[in-house]
Amino acid sequence: EDIPLDVVPNATAPTTQSTSVPSYPSNIDLGVVTAPPRATKYISFEGKSFLAVASTSPNWDIANGALTISEWKGDAQGSFHVLQQETRELGASSLAYFHAVDASCNSATFRSDCEPLGHHYIVVGNSYKEGGVIISGFSVYRWERKISLFKLHHTRSPTSEHDATRQLHTSTLASFQAHDETFLAVGFSGDGDRHNIASIVYKLDTQNALVSMHTGNLTAGKGV
């Protein structure tokens, strides 16, 4: 369901909301980023509210995008303020959010740094061209309570992990949970030619990292 981005966070707001083609209000700061937004996601947890924005140029050859995360400050008369801006995400174009329990808290895998409240993750899909070659993948940011920031946790490059000869565009991200485990499905577009591409499903492992299950569903069509 699409949402207006001037929404005021409140206690009844759902955990996540997003728009696939957002209309980004001019009164919300995008920091130094000049590229237009491609995806947004509203996130609320532990009494905090955030708006994540993936921005990138419509021209793949211009890599000037970023992931911008703003936090709501104040009451109903408050506003979003930029919390952090990740300019390494030059082709940020899709977003996903999920919360997962910390597997290291289980008795079989217990570590002293386990987080009983679990972890909150933002995933940003990243695709752009560099020297005529598509650079594609996604980055996983995890909320760190001690510093009150989303910190880069790990990255994945499906192009190189599965077929380095095929240029893929990370077009869609979707998280889901099944049997008490967390998964991320990554959908792709091609390189401008007819293609037959498998989407890739990742699973959050006991090290709190997304690892490929090397499975997927074939999709066919005309690439972007």
Side-chain angles (χ1 to χ4, degrees):
E1 178 184 358
D2 291 349
I3 63 165
L5 294 184
D6 57 354
V7 64
V8 175
N10 55 66
T12 60
T15 302
T16 63
Q17 301 180 64
S18 66
T19 55
S20 56
V21 184
S23 176
Y24 201 76
S26 59
N27 63 335
I28 296 182
D29 187 12
L30 266 181
V32 300
V33 174
T34 58
R38 296 286 298 276
T40 66
K41 190 162 290 287
Y42 171 71
I43 303 164
S44 181
F45 61 81
E46 299 176 15
K48 300 178 182 293
S49 296
F50 304 92
L51 185 65
V53 180
S55 303
T56 190
S57 171
N59 185 342
W60 279 24
D61 296 311
I62 302 176
N64 63 347
L67 167 65
T68 303
I69 302 174
S70 299
E71 183 177 5
W72 183 265
K73 297 292 186 181
D75 53 18
Q77 303 303 315
S79 60
F80 283 106
H81 295 267
V82 174
L83 174 68
Q84 62 190 94
Q85 200 152 49
E86 305 298 335
T87 56
R88 71 185 303 276
E89 310 300 340
L90 297 175
S93 57
S94 53
L95 290 167
Y97 160 83
F98 61 89
H99 170 265
V101 299
D102 190 337
S104 67
C105 294
N106 295 335
S107 58
T109 56
F110 181 79
R111 296 199 312 263
S112 59
D113 60 347
C114 90
E115 178 50 71
L117 295 178
H119 295 291
H120 299 273
Y121 298 86
I122 291 177
V123 186
V124 55
N126 196 27
S127 296
Y128 61 94
K129 281 187 177 180
E130 186 174 73
V133 177
I134 295 178
I135 308 299
S136 181
F138 62 87
S139 302
V140 181
Y141 291 82
R142 191 173 77 178
W143 178 250
E144 297 295 337
R145 294 177 177 86
K146 291 182 179 179
I147 60 176
S148 295
L149 290 172
F150 286 92
K151 185 178 179 181
L152 180 64
H153 191 256
H154 60 282
T155 62
R156 292 289 181 265
S157 298
T159 303
S160 60
E161 288 179 4
H162 289 265
D163 184 355
T165 66
R166 187 186 295 273
Q167 295 184 331
L168 305 179
H169 165 56
T170 306
S171 60
T172 306
L173 299 172
S175 62
F176 62 96
Q177 293 184 327
H179 305 292
D180 298 323
E181 293 189 298
T182 300
F183 301 87
L184 180 76
V186 183
F188 298 99
S189 296
D191 56 3
D193 298 321
R194 299 292 299 183
H195 63 267
N196 193 25
I197 303 171
S199 58
I200 301 174
V201 177
Y202 289 79
K203 182 173 73 172
L204 196 69
D205 67 5
T206 57
Q207 303 300 315
N208 299 310
L210 288 165
V211 295
S212 173
M213 298 177 64
H214 297 284
T215 62
N217 297 315
L218 290 177
T219 58
K222 186 70 167 63
V224 294

